[in-house]
Amino acid sequence: LVRHSPGSGHWGPWDDNLMGTASYGVPGDHSSQHDWTVSWKHPKQMLFALGDCSQWLIAEPNEVNGDEYENAMRWIVKSSAHESPYQAKWYNRAANYEDPWVSVHDHSPTSVLYGEAGTYWNTALKNQHGGANVYIRNSAPDCALSIDGGNWTLVRHTKGFGGWGPWEDNLMGSASYGTPGNWSSPHDWT
């Protein structure tokens, strides 16, 4: 557990766009009555959950932050609504301090699990379910990093289910597809 907003009032006052650079308050637990966050680095995955865990989702950091997007489809690894990867429309606009908005379904007050910058928007669900929490799962090492001395750069990934990726460039490196992720991304990319 790295970040907590209580089950009353606004979203936490930090404004680091979920990059893990903010540190605020006295660290507590999932049911603390005050806002708090600790800094973090290089998570493999992020878990967003209401205080009572009635709604939750797991996403990779590159789907949540870094890029700017508006009402754009973002990949979710799994959630309280779906056992397999799917997409939902989220927001991460540079001019909007309350972003990113992370939700189980397309952005809606009935499924928002994260907001920031002390905003009062979309707080009803959080306040009715004991707050909202952010957890991280640290990176597992990419097994290719140790093969033949390492220094490999991952440029193409096929997800661990379904068929092979949709590119047809005969490994020439001319295809561009999906949002670049890492070796465990739940979607195809190159």
Side-chain angles (χ1 to χ4, degrees):
L1 179 61
V2 294
R3 185 163 287 183
H4 171 76
S5 288
S8 62
H10 52 78
W11 290 100
W14 42 80
D15 183 21
D16 68 349
N17 294 83
L18 271 169
M19 296 299 287
T21 59
S23 182
Y24 179 88
V26 177
D29 64 19
H30 73 283
S31 62
S32 296
Q33 297 301 307
H34 62 281
D35 292 311
W36 67 266
T37 189
V38 295
S39 60
W40 66 83
K41 291 183 181 179
H42 313 298
K44 175 184 172 191
Q45 293 180 323
M46 303 175 88
L47 167 64
F48 300 89
L50 293 175
D52 64 4
C53 294
S54 59
Q55 289 192 50
W56 57 269
L57 69 84
I58 298 170
E60 292 185 358
N62 63 314
E63 293 297 325
V64 178
N65 53 33
D67 293 338
E68 290 181 27
Y69 50 88
E70 184 171 345
N71 201 32
M73 299 299 269
R74 307 305 286 182
W75 281 102
I76 296 170
V77 175
K78 66 168 57 176
S79 74
S80 53
H82 298 280
E83 279 294 313
S84 55
Y86 69 102
Q87 292 182 302
K89 293 179 181 177
W90 296 349
Y91 288 83
N92 190 24
R93 302 158 293 184
N96 294 72
Y97 298 115
E98 70 275 7
D99 291 8
W101 287 115
V102 176
S103 53
V104 173
H105 304 288
D106 290 348
H107 182 74
S108 158
T110 61
S111 70
V112 169
L113 302 181
Y114 185 83
E116 60 181 52
T119 187
Y120 283 91
W121 296 327
N122 298 312
T123 56
L125 186 68
K126 169 187 85 72
N127 292 341
Q128 292 167 357
H129 293 273
N133 298 302
V134 178
Y135 301 80
I136 63 167
R137 185 179 296 172
N138 287 328
S139 293
D142 183 333
C143 63
L145 296 179
S146 62
I147 296 174
D148 196 36
N151 291 322
W152 298 104
T153 300
L154 182 61
V155 296
R156 186 166 287 181
H157 169 77
T158 298
K159 63 188 176 294
F161 58 91
W164 290 100
W167 37 81
E168 295 181 2
D169 67 345
N170 295 318
L171 283 173
M172 297 296 292
S174 59
S176 181
Y177 181 85
T179 302
N182 61 34
W183 65 274
S184 64
S185 295
H187 61 280
D188 297 326
W189 65 266
T190 189

